[in-house]
Amino acid sequence: MFKSIAILILATLSLNAAAADDGKLKALLKQADDYRLALESGRVETEVRSFKAGVLDKTRLYAVYLKPGHRSLVLFRTASERGQKMLMLGDDYWLMMPSSQRPLRITAMQKLLGEASTGDIATMTWSDDYDGAVSGEDVIDGLPCLKLDLLGQRKGVSYPRIVLYLAKKDRHPVQAELYVASDKLAKLARFSMGEIDGRRQVTVMTLIDHLQKERSTEVHYLSRTGKTLSDDYFNPAFLV
């Protein structure tokens, strides 16, 4: 009987420790998310720049509208792409072309420009989409970091696994290793900090191809506001 009670106590303590670790991880991810987007709903003006061997190749502009419930609407604002729209609803993605009466199904890995995919532009949170553990510490470019090993909790995430490095001092994202479904490293993301509207935030995400390191793509977050659209716009049929 005493043995059974001891086992029950140990199991309870183990569950409590696991819950505490999970709560700690979610808190870390939420802090990191706040440096990318501190609003549940909002509009992010985004510029994507593609480089080859350090030379600027192409530039594109996007307006990204975000809503709770894993909803994003991306409006293409460059003249050559004007009228195109990309919609994310949970795990589903659609591309709307001006010449088509039907939305086209795409995936989170659909390329937009350079190394930037639809998922890189449409999603800006980790805390809702990933779980995992703090797996250690490391130093990135002289900055002490916590190392987080994360696994995607939805089939629609761009990267099933991410190894994320957060600054120990203030938990801002420093670097992320992005893995595809085969668990092969696809890209390296580096995060640059700056000020937007008087607040310290991620201003640039640089994506570097793991195999073609001479190619890189910069995602510049030009502005973030609380302005968004009505729920009607987050519907493929309405957008067409």
PDB file of all heavy atoms in Angstrom, residues 144-168:
ATOM      1  N   PRO A 144      24.814  35.408 -25.382  1.00  0.00           N
ATOM      2  CA  PRO A 144      24.339  34.198 -24.693  1.00  0.00           C
ATOM      3  C   PRO A 144      22.859  33.955 -24.989  1.00  0.00           C
ATOM      4  O   PRO A 144      22.031  34.866 -24.868  1.00  0.00           O
ATOM      5  CB  PRO A 144      24.559  34.529 -23.211  1.00  0.00           C
ATOM      6  CG  PRO A 144      25.586  35.608 -23.198  1.00  0.00           C
ATOM      7  CD  PRO A 144      25.329  36.418 -24.435  1.00  0.00           C
ATOM      8  N   CYS A 145      22.529  32.713 -25.371  1.00  0.00           N
ATOM      9  CA  CYS A 145      21.159  32.389 -25.787  1.00  0.00           C
ATOM     10  C   CYS A 145      20.658  31.115 -25.129  1.00  0.00           C
ATOM     11  O   CYS A 145      21.435  30.216 -24.794  1.00  0.00           O
ATOM     12  CB  CYS A 145      21.099  32.206 -27.306  1.00  0.00           C
ATOM     13  SG  CYS A 145      21.422  33.691 -28.271  1.00  0.00           S
ATOM     14  N   LEU A 146      19.340  31.038 -24.973  1.00  0.00           N
ATOM     15  CA  LEU A 146      18.664  29.792 -24.649  1.00  0.00           C
ATOM     16  C   LEU A 146      18.373  29.072 -25.959  1.00  0.00           C
ATOM     17  O   LEU A 146      17.987  29.688 -26.951  1.00  0.00           O
ATOM     18  CB  LEU A 146      17.353  30.070 -23.913  1.00  0.00           C
ATOM     19  CG  LEU A 146      17.445  30.745 -22.548  1.00  0.00           C
ATOM     20  CD1 LEU A 146      16.046  31.067 -22.035  1.00  0.00           C
ATOM     21  CD2 LEU A 146      18.183  29.857 -21.556  1.00  0.00           C
ATOM     22  N   LYS A 147      18.543  27.760 -25.940  1.00  0.00           N
ATOM     23  CA  LYS A 147      18.285  26.947 -27.134  1.00  0.00           C
ATOM     24  C   LYS A 147      16.991  26.172 -26.930  1.00  0.00           C
ATOM     25  O   LYS A 147      16.866  25.409 -25.964  1.00  0.00           O
ATOM     26  CB  LYS A 147      19.443  25.994 -27.378  1.00  0.00           C
ATOM     27  CG  LYS A 147      19.287  25.106 -28.601  1.00  0.00           C
ATOM     28  CD  LYS A 147      20.497  24.182 -28.743  1.00  0.00           C
ATOM     29  CE  LYS A 147      20.340  23.249 -29.928  1.00  0.00           C
ATOM     30  NZ  LYS A 147      21.503  22.312 -30.042  1.00  0.00           N
ATOM     31  N   LEU A 148      16.018  26.369 -27.822  1.00  0.00           N
ATOM     32  CA  LEU A 148      14.716  25.707 -27.728  1.00  0.00           C
ATOM     33  C   LEU A 148      14.541  24.765 -28.909  1.00  0.00           C
ATOM     34  O   LEU A 148      14.745  25.166 -30.066  1.00  0.00           O
ATOM     35  CB  LEU A 148      13.581  26.733 -27.732  1.00  0.00           C
ATOM     36  CG  LEU A 148      13.265  27.508 -26.451  1.00  0.00           C
ATOM     37  CD1 LEU A 148      14.457  28.315 -25.978  1.00  0.00           C
ATOM     38  CD2 LEU A 148      12.075  28.426 -26.684  1.00  0.00           C
ATOM     39  N   ASP A 149      14.200  23.512 -28.622  1.00  0.00           N
ATOM     40  CA  ASP A 149      13.914  22.543 -29.686  1.00  0.00           C
ATOM     41  C   ASP A 149      12.403  22.411 -29.788  1.00  0.00           C
ATOM     42  O   ASP A 149      11.749  21.939 -28.851  1.00  0.00           O
ATOM     43  CB  ASP A 149      14.555  21.194 -29.357  1.00  0.00           C
ATOM     44  CG  ASP A 149      14.898  20.407 -30.618  1.00  0.00           C
ATOM     45  OD1 ASP A 149      14.121  20.489 -31.590  1.00  0.00           O
ATOM     46  OD2 ASP A 149      15.935  19.731 -30.627  1.00  0.00           O
ATOM     47  N   LEU A 150      11.842  22.831 -30.929  1.00  0.00           N
ATOM     48  CA  LEU A 150      10.392  22.940 -31.072  1.00  0.00           C
ATOM     49  C   LEU A 150       9.859  22.005 -32.144  1.00  0.00           C
ATOM     50  O   LEU A 150      10.478  21.819 -33.195  1.00  0.00           O
ATOM     51  CB  LEU A 150      10.017  24.383 -31.449  1.00  0.00           C
ATOM     52  CG  LEU A 150      10.566  25.490 -30.531  1.00  0.00           C
ATOM     53  CD1 LEU A 150      10.199  26.857 -31.106  1.00  0.00           C
ATOM     54  CD2 LEU A 150      10.029  25.332 -29.118  1.00  0.00           C
ATOM     55  N   LEU A 151       8.670  21.450 -31.898  1.00  0.00           N
ATOM     56  CA  LEU A 151       7.979  20.602 -32.857  1.00  0.00           C
ATOM     57  C   LEU A 151       6.614  21.207 -33.161  1.00  0.00           C
ATOM     58  O   LEU A 151       5.883  21.620 -32.247  1.00  0.00           O
ATOM     59  CB  LEU A 151       7.798  19.181 -32.304  1.00  0.00           C
ATOM     60  CG  LEU A 151       9.083  18.374 -32.070  1.00  0.00           C
ATOM     61  CD1 LEU A 151       8.749  17.033 -31.425  1.00  0.00           C
ATOM     62  CD2 LEU A 151       9.834  18.175 -33.377  1.00  0.00           C
ATOM     63  N   GLY A 152       6.257  21.255 -34.444  1.00  0.00           N
ATOM     64  CA  GLY A 152       4.982  21.817 -34.856  1.00  0.00           C
ATOM     65  C   GLY A 152       3.809  21.004 -34.354  1.00  0.00           C
ATOM     66  O   GLY A 152       3.859  19.766 -34.343  1.00  0.00           O
ATOM     67  N   GLN A 153       2.739  21.686 -33.942  1.00  0.00           N
ATOM     68  CA  GLN A 153       1.548  21.026 -33.423  1.00  0.00           C
ATOM     69  C   GLN A 153       0.383  21.059 -34.409  1.00  0.00           C
ATOM     70  O   GLN A 153      -0.709  20.598 -34.091  1.00  0.00           O
ATOM     71  CB  GLN A 153       1.131  21.686 -32.102  1.00  0.00           C
ATOM     72  CG  GLN A 153       2.197  21.628 -31.020  1.00  0.00           C
ATOM     73  CD  GLN A 153       2.600  20.212 -30.671  1.00  0.00           C
ATOM     74  OE1 GLN A 153       1.785  19.437 -30.175  1.00  0.00           O
ATOM     75  NE2 GLN A 153       3.867  19.855 -30.934  1.00  0.00           N
ATOM     76  N   ARG A 154       0.613  21.613 -35.591  1.00  0.00           N
ATOM     77  CA  ARG A 154      -0.423  21.649 -36.643  1.00  0.00           C
ATOM     78  C   ARG A 154       0.203  21.181 -37.943  1.00  0.00           C
ATOM     79  O   ARG A 154       1.382  21.421 -38.200  1.00  0.00           O
ATOM     80  CB  ARG A 154      -0.966  23.071 -36.839  1.00  0.00           C
ATOM     81  CG  ARG A 154      -1.641  23.671 -35.629  1.00  0.00           C
ATOM     82  CD  ARG A 154      -2.342  24.987 -35.991  1.00  0.00           C
ATOM     83  NE  ARG A 154      -1.442  25.990 -36.521  1.00  0.00           N
ATOM     84  CZ  ARG A 154      -1.435  26.440 -37.774  1.00  0.00           C
ATOM     85  NH1 ARG A 154      -2.286  25.956 -38.656  1.00  0.00           N
ATOM     86  NH2 ARG A 154      -0.586  27.379 -38.154  1.00  0.00           N
ATOM     87  N   LYS A 155      -0.595  20.562 -38.816  1.00  0.00           N
ATOM     88  CA  LYS A 155      -0.048  20.077 -40.083  1.00  0.00           C
ATOM     89  C   LYS A 155       0.270  21.231 -41.034  1.00  0.00           C
ATOM     90  O   LYS A 155       1.062  21.075 -41.962  1.00  0.00           O
ATOM     91  CB  LYS A 155      -1.026  19.107 -40.747  1.00  0.00           C
ATOM     92  CG  LYS A 155      -2.314  19.755 -41.240  1.00  0.00           C
ATOM     93  CD  LYS A 155      -3.196  18.746 -41.962  1.00  0.00           C
ATOM     94  CE  LYS A 155      -4.445  19.415 -42.532  1.00  0.00           C
ATOM     95  NZ  LYS A 155      -5.302  18.457 -43.254  1.00  0.00           N
ATOM     96  N   GLY A 156      -0.335  22.398 -40.784  1.00  0.00           N
ATOM     97  CA  GLY A 156      -0.142  23.523 -41.693  1.00  0.00           C
ATOM     98  C   GLY A 156       1.062  24.391 -41.396  1.00  0.00           C
ATOM     99  O   GLY A 156       1.277  25.387 -42.082  1.00  0.00           O
ATOM    100  N   VAL A 157       1.875  24.029 -40.380  1.00  0.00           N
ATOM    101  CA  VAL A 157       3.049  24.865 -40.090  1.00  0.00           C
ATOM    102  C   VAL A 157       4.065  24.721 -41.211  1.00  0.00           C
ATOM    103  O   VAL A 157       4.180  23.673 -41.855  1.00  0.00           O
ATOM    104  CB  VAL A 157       3.693  24.496 -38.735  1.00  0.00           C
ATOM    105  CG1 VAL A 157       2.749  24.778 -37.584  1.00  0.00           C
ATOM    106  CG2 VAL A 157       4.148  23.048 -38.719  1.00  0.00           C
ATOM    107  N   SER A 158       4.803  25.797 -41.453  1.00  0.00           N
ATOM    108  CA  SER A 158       5.792  25.786 -42.537  1.00  0.00           C
ATOM    109  C   SER A 158       6.922  24.811 -42.254  1.00  0.00           C
ATOM    110  O   SER A 158       7.417  24.138 -43.164  1.00  0.00           O
ATOM    111  CB  SER A 158       6.382  27.188 -42.724  1.00  0.00           C
ATOM    112  OG  SER A 158       5.371  28.128 -42.994  1.00  0.00           O
ATOM    113  N   TYR A 159       7.327  24.725 -40.992  1.00  0.00           N
ATOM    114  CA  TYR A 159       8.482  23.898 -40.622  1.00  0.00           C
ATOM    115  C   TYR A 159       8.092  22.996 -39.455  1.00  0.00           C
ATOM    116  O   TYR A 159       7.815  23.483 -38.353  1.00  0.00           O
ATOM    117  CB  TYR A 159       9.666  24.792 -40.244  1.00  0.00           C
ATOM    118  CG  TYR A 159       9.954  25.834 -41.301  1.00  0.00           C
ATOM    119  CD1 TYR A 159       9.546  27.159 -41.125  1.00  0.00           C
ATOM    120  CD2 TYR A 159      10.584  25.486 -42.489  1.00  0.00           C
ATOM    121  CE1 TYR A 159       9.766  28.101 -42.100  1.00  0.00           C
ATOM    122  CE2 TYR A 159      10.820  26.429 -43.479  1.00  0.00           C
ATOM    123  CZ  TYR A 159      10.405  27.732 -43.280  1.00  0.00           C
ATOM    124  OH  TYR A 159      10.615  28.673 -44.262  1.00  0.00           O
ATOM    125  N   PRO A 160       8.070  21.664 -39.663  1.00  0.00           N
ATOM    126  CA  PRO A 160       7.681  20.747 -38.583  1.00  0.00           C
ATOM    127  C   PRO A 160       8.598  20.826 -37.369  1.00  0.00           C
ATOM    128  O   PRO A 160       8.182  20.503 -36.259  1.00  0.00           O
ATOM    129  CB  PRO A 160       7.770  19.368 -39.247  1.00  0.00           C
ATOM    130  CG  PRO A 160       7.634  19.643 -40.712  1.00  0.00           C
ATOM    131  CD  PRO A 160       8.281  20.966 -40.938  1.00  0.00           C
ATOM    132  N   ARG A 161       9.836  21.245 -37.577  1.00  0.00           N
ATOM    133  CA  ARG A 161      10.778  21.366 -36.453  1.00  0.00           C
ATOM    134  C   ARG A 161      11.573  22.655 -36.583  1.00  0.00           C
ATOM    135  O   ARG A 161      11.988  23.030 -37.689  1.00  0.00           O
ATOM    136  CB  ARG A 161      11.726  20.168 -36.418  1.00  0.00           C
ATOM    137  CG  ARG A 161      12.765  20.241 -35.298  1.00  0.00           C
ATOM    138  CD  ARG A 161      13.603  18.976 -35.228  1.00  0.00           C
ATOM    139  NE  ARG A 161      14.693  19.155 -34.271  1.00  0.00           N
ATOM    140  CZ  ARG A 161      15.983  19.021 -34.580  1.00  0.00           C
ATOM    141  NH1 ARG A 161      16.354  18.709 -35.807  1.00  0.00           N
ATOM    142  NH2 ARG A 161      16.912  19.209 -33.663  1.00  0.00           N
ATOM    143  N   ILE A 162      11.757  23.327 -35.462  1.00  0.00           N
ATOM    144  CA  ILE A 162      12.558  24.549 -35.408  1.00  0.00           C
ATOM    145  C   ILE A 162      13.480  24.467 -34.186  1.00  0.00           C
ATOM    146  O   ILE A 162      13.042  24.087 -33.101  1.00  0.00           O
ATOM    147  CB  ILE A 162      11.675  25.810 -35.284  1.00  0.00           C
ATOM    148  CG1 ILE A 162      10.836  26.017 -36.558  1.00  0.00           C
ATOM    149  CG2 ILE A 162      12.526  27.047 -35.026  1.00  0.00           C
ATOM    150  CD1 ILE A 162       9.891  27.209 -36.462  1.00  0.00           C
ATOM    151  N   VAL A 163      14.740  24.813 -34.386  1.00  0.00           N
ATOM    152  CA  VAL A 163      15.648  25.020 -33.259  1.00  0.00           C
ATOM    153  C   VAL A 163      15.822  26.530 -33.130  1.00  0.00           C
ATOM    154  O   VAL A 163      16.388  27.180 -34.013  1.00  0.00           O
ATOM    155  CB  VAL A 163      17.005  24.329 -33.466  1.00  0.00           C
ATOM    156  CG1 VAL A 163      17.939  24.631 -32.289  1.00  0.00           C
ATOM    157  CG2 VAL A 163      16.812  22.816 -33.602  1.00  0.00           C
ATOM    158  N   LEU A 164      15.276  27.071 -32.054  1.00  0.00           N
ATOM    159  CA  LEU A 164      15.180  28.524 -31.879  1.00  0.00           C
ATOM    160  C   LEU A 164      16.125  28.983 -30.773  1.00  0.00           C
ATOM    161  O   LEU A 164      16.208  28.360 -29.716  1.00  0.00           O
ATOM    162  CB  LEU A 164      13.737  28.892 -31.521  1.00  0.00           C
ATOM    163  CG  LEU A 164      13.417  30.358 -31.234  1.00  0.00           C
ATOM    164  CD1 LEU A 164      13.650  31.239 -32.455  1.00  0.00           C
ATOM    165  CD2 LEU A 164      11.974  30.498 -30.757  1.00  0.00           C
ATOM    166  N   TYR A 165      16.813  30.086 -31.039  1.00  0.00           N
ATOM    167  CA  TYR A 165      17.734  30.667 -30.062  1.00  0.00           C
ATOM    168  C   TYR A 165      17.191  32.024 -29.620  1.00  0.00           C
ATOM    169  O   TYR A 165      16.963  32.910 -30.450  1.00  0.00           O
ATOM    170  CB  TYR A 165      19.127  30.832 -30.663  1.00  0.00           C
ATOM    171  CG  TYR A 165      19.767  29.514 -31.065  1.00  0.00           C
ATOM    172  CD1 TYR A 165      19.504  28.944 -32.309  1.00  0.00           C
ATOM    173  CD2 TYR A 165      20.612  28.841 -30.189  1.00  0.00           C
ATOM    174  CE1 TYR A 165      20.071  27.727 -32.673  1.00  0.00           C
ATOM    175  CE2 TYR A 165      21.192  27.623 -30.549  1.00  0.00           C
ATOM    176  CZ  TYR A 165      20.916  27.078 -31.797  1.00  0.00           C
ATOM    177  OH  TYR A 165      21.479  25.865 -32.160  1.00  0.00           O
ATOM    178  N   LEU A 166      16.966  32.165 -28.307  1.00  0.00           N
ATOM    179  CA  LEU A 166      16.471  33.409 -27.727  1.00  0.00           C
ATOM    180  C   LEU A 166      17.539  34.011 -26.821  1.00  0.00           C
ATOM    181  O   LEU A 166      18.198  33.289 -26.054  1.00  0.00           O
ATOM    182  CB  LEU A 166      15.206  33.158 -26.905  1.00  0.00           C
ATOM    183  CG  LEU A 166      14.023  32.469 -27.588  1.00  0.00           C
ATOM    184  CD1 LEU A 166      12.863  32.338 -26.605  1.00  0.00           C
ATOM    185  CD2 LEU A 166      13.580  33.238 -28.825  1.00  0.00           C
ATOM    186  N   ALA A 167      17.704  35.327 -26.890  1.00  0.00           N
ATOM    187  CA  ALA A 167      18.664  36.002 -26.011  1.00  0.00           C
ATOM    188  C   ALA A 167      18.287  35.760 -24.551  1.00  0.00           C
ATOM    189  O   ALA A 167      17.127  35.924 -24.170  1.00  0.00           O
ATOM    190  CB  ALA A 167      18.693  37.495 -26.318  1.00  0.00           C
ATOM    191  N   LYS A 168      19.245  35.351 -23.734  1.00  0.00           N
ATOM    192  CA  LYS A 168      18.959  35.080 -22.328  1.00  0.00           C
ATOM    193  C   LYS A 168      18.493  36.341 -21.603  1.00  0.00           C
ATOM    194  O   LYS A 168      17.652  36.268 -20.695  1.00  0.00           O
ATOM    195  CB  LYS A 168      20.213  34.526 -21.641  1.00  0.00           C
ATOM    196  CG  LYS A 168      20.547  33.089 -22.005  1.00  0.00           C
ATOM    197  CD  LYS A 168      21.741  32.582 -21.208  1.00  0.00           C
ATOM    198  CE  LYS A 168      21.393  32.454 -19.736  1.00  0.00           C
ATOM    199  NZ  LYS A 168      22.516  31.859 -18.965  1.00  0.00           N
TER     200      LYS A 168
END
